[in-house]
Amino acid sequence: MDLEEKKISREEIFEGKVLHVVKDTVSLPDGGTATREILLHHGAVCIIPITDDGKVILERQFRYAVGDVLVEIPAGKLEPGEDPLECAKRELQEETGYSADEMIVIGDYYGSPALLREHITMYLARGLHKGKTHYDDDEFMEVFEMPLDDLIDDVMNNKIPDAKTQLCALKAREFLNREKSERR
Amino acid sequence: MDLEEKKISREEIFEGKVLHVVKDTVSLPDGGTATREILLHHGAVCIIPITDDGKVILERQFRYAVGDVLVEIPAGKLEPGEDPLECAKRELQEETGYSADEMIVIGDYYGSPALLREHITMYLARGLHKGKTHYDDDEFMEVFEMPLDDLIDDVMNNKIPDAKTQLCALKAREFLNREKSERR
């Protein structure tokens, strides 16, 4: 079955500083039509930085959209056309102060594929070197660290509401386990 | 440090069939102000249905927002005020035809906390019984199954772009492993 929906027309709804909302009319697989309200987005990166002794560098940050302080790994939006790796290095350095000898892609994801064209590349950062943080003017956060095993426990006990942090913690551990068993 | 940002005023931008966009002016922790463009949302559920012989029920569905056919676990939006468990049972039945003896909460998440107030509750469904599907008028999908271990391999090999499916596969396996070791 061809599941694809094809764009017939687009109505621009709102283009702000962050959100770009459009309403498209599409043709459906059965020949009918429907409207799709979606958010366009240039993409983003997130980084799980792990120290040589197995601790994850985390941030505590107020997220206005959800009305709460969340524990998250570092992350940031791509500028239009920006290379995800360059963005990941920059966000890691600005938000946590760390630079990394190794930046390993551990996958990518769509966080809300029914609504949002935000495509996020996930990096595992290793070989960390401490430097200075540099926040955006309207960005306030606390940086702290936690052993990866404790973070996994918090993920399983539902103490980490942020999807990328849950996902990268579980993925990073699986990646490290597979790497270890390949070396044997 | 008090990281909270407080709403000063709200501008309604767009309220469509699916998206509700507002632009709020907020006070920052340092006393300054900023604007926050966000999407309001009633929340959603997703369900990882696992058969008695360890296979996951999956869907292949075109996602217009990201322009591709994605492999996903069943999911759906809450109606305003709807109980997440009732919604999860309904979506599981409508999209896959299955009902479940057990619906276990394995956590919740915000898929894109910088932009989107979408809060998603994750269920593991077990003790499955096959029934009939019932799709929405503009919903087209193919249902298939895959062993959980193969799905985890696909997640690690970056063949599953959907965040909730990656996360629920890894979380479900960790949940089942922890349950097994508690029983010993």
Side-chain angles (χ1 to χ4, degrees):
Chain A
M1 178 163 61
D2 180 10
L3 297 164
E4 192 173 344
E5 299 172 357
K6 290 182 184 70
K7 181 168 73 180
I8 297 169
S9 62
R10 166 161 296 178
E11 184 185 346
E12 286 286 338
I13 301 289
F14 174 66
E15 186 161 5
K17 263 197 325 180
V18 179
L19 299 182
H20 185 179
V21 181
V22 298
K23 183 156 93 177
D24 289 3
T25 301
V26 304
S27 63
L28 298 172
D30 68 356
T33 60
T35 59
R36 298 286 180 234
E37 300 165 1
I38 63 171
L39 261 90
L40 304 182
H41 197 283
H42 295 299
V45 297
C46 64
I47 309 105
I48 182 161
I50 304 187
T51 63
D52 293 347
D53 59 346
K55 289 188 182 117
V56 181
I57 314 296
L58 294 163
E59 303 169 357
R60 212 172 268 118
Q61 187 178 9
F62 185 79
R63 289 301 199 169
Y64 185 78
V66 308
D68 207 354
V69 174
L70 299 190
V71 169
E72 297 181 41
I73 56 174
K77 288 188 293 288
L78 296 179
E79 304 296 327
E82 189 180 21
D83 177 53
L85 177 61
E86 290 311 308
C87 180
K89 287 179 178 172
R90 176 170 51 77
E91 292 289 346
L92 177 64
Q93 202 276 319
E94 287 181 1
E95 294 187 357
T96 71
Y98 283 98
S99 58
D101 291 335
E102 263 189 298
M103 298 283 284
I104 305 163
V105 174
I106 56 168
D108 46 52
Y109 71 88
Y110 294 109
S112 189
L115 306 175
L116 181 58
R117 189 164 294 180
E118 187 183 29
H119 185 254
I120 300 185
T121 308
M122 296 175 269
Y123 292 89
L124 193 167
R126 285 197 292 208
L128 301 180
H129 307 278
K130 184 78 184 140
K132 284 187 74 172
T133 54
H134 177 81
Y135 301 123
D136 293 340
D137 284 346
D138 63 351
E139 202 171 47
F140 300 87
M141 57 182 70
E142 291 171 356
V143 176
F144 66 105
E145 51 186 54
M146 184 191 282
L148 178 58
D149 287 343
D150 293 356
L151 179 59
I152 302 270
D153 284 344
D154 278 3
V155 166
M156 294 310 295
N157 294 323
N158 210 23
K159 291 179 181 166
I160 306 290
D162 174 51
K164 67 181 170 302
T165 306
Q166 294 192 39
L167 180 54
C168 284
L170 290 163
K171 256 193 140 163
R173 192 189 49 175
E174 181 71 16
F175 174 88
L176 296 171
N177 284 346
R178 288 179 180 221
E179 186 183 53
K180 208 186 288 176
S181 69
E182 275 168 21
R183 280 193 188 145
R184 274 191 199 126
Chain B
M1 177 163 60
D2 180 11
L3 297 164
E4 191 174 344
E5 299 171 359
K6 290 181 183 71
K7 180 168 73 179
I8 297 170
S9 62
R10 166 162 295 179
E11 184 185 345
E12 286 285 338
I13 301 289
F14 174 67
E15 187 163 3
K17 263 198 323 180
V18 179
L19 300 182
H20 184 180
V21 181
V22 297
K23 183 157 93 178
D24 288 2
T25 301
V26 304
S27 63
L28 298 173
D30 68 356
T33 60
T35 58
R36 299 287 181 233
E37 301 165 0
I38 64 171
L39 262 90
L40 305 181
H41 197 283
H42 295 298
V45 297
C46 63
I47 309 105
I48 182 161
I50 304 187
T51 63
D52 293 347
D53 59 346
K55 290 192 181 113
V56 181
I57 314 296
L58 293 163
E59 302 169 356
R60 210 172 270 119
Q61 185 176 12
F62 185 78
R63 289 300 197 170
Y64 185 77
V66 308
D68 207 354
V69 173
L70 299 190
V71 168
E72 297 180 41
I73 56 174
K77 289 187 294 288
L78 296 180
E79 304 296 328
E82 189 181 19
D83 176 53
L85 177 60
E86 290 311 308
C87 180
K89 286 178 178 174
R90 176 170 51 77
E91 292 289 347
L92 176 64
Q93 202 275 319
E94 288 181 0
E95 295 188 355
T96 71
Y98 283 97
S99 58
D101 292 335
E102 264 189 296
M103 298 283 284
I104 304 163
V105 174
I106 55 169
D108 45 52
Y109 70 88
Y110 293 110
S112 190
L115 306 175
L116 181 58
R117 188 164 293 180
E118 186 183 29
H119 185 253
I120 300 184
T121 308
M122 294 176 270
Y123 291 89
L124 193 167
R126 286 197 292 208
L128 300 179
H129 306 279
K130 185 79 185 137
K132 283 188 74 173
T133 55
H134 177 80
Y135 301 123
D136 292 341
D137 284 346
D138 63 352
E139 202 171 47
F140 300 87
M141 57 182 67
E142 290 171 354
V143 176
F144 66 106
E145 51 185 56
M146 183 192 283
L148 178 58
D149 287 343
D150 294 355
L151 179 59
I152 301 270
D153 284 344
D154 278 2
V155 166
M156 295 310 295
N157 294 323
N158 208 24
K159 291 179 181 165
I160 306 289
D162 174 50
K164 67 182 171 298
T165 306
Q166 293 192 40
L167 180 54
C168 285
L170 290 163
K171 258 193 138 163
R173 193 191 46 176
E174 182 71 15
F175 175 87
L176 295 171
N177 284 346
R178 288 180 180 221
E179 186 183 54
K180 207 184 290 178
S181 67
E182 275 168 22
R183 281 194 188 148
R184 273 189 202 126

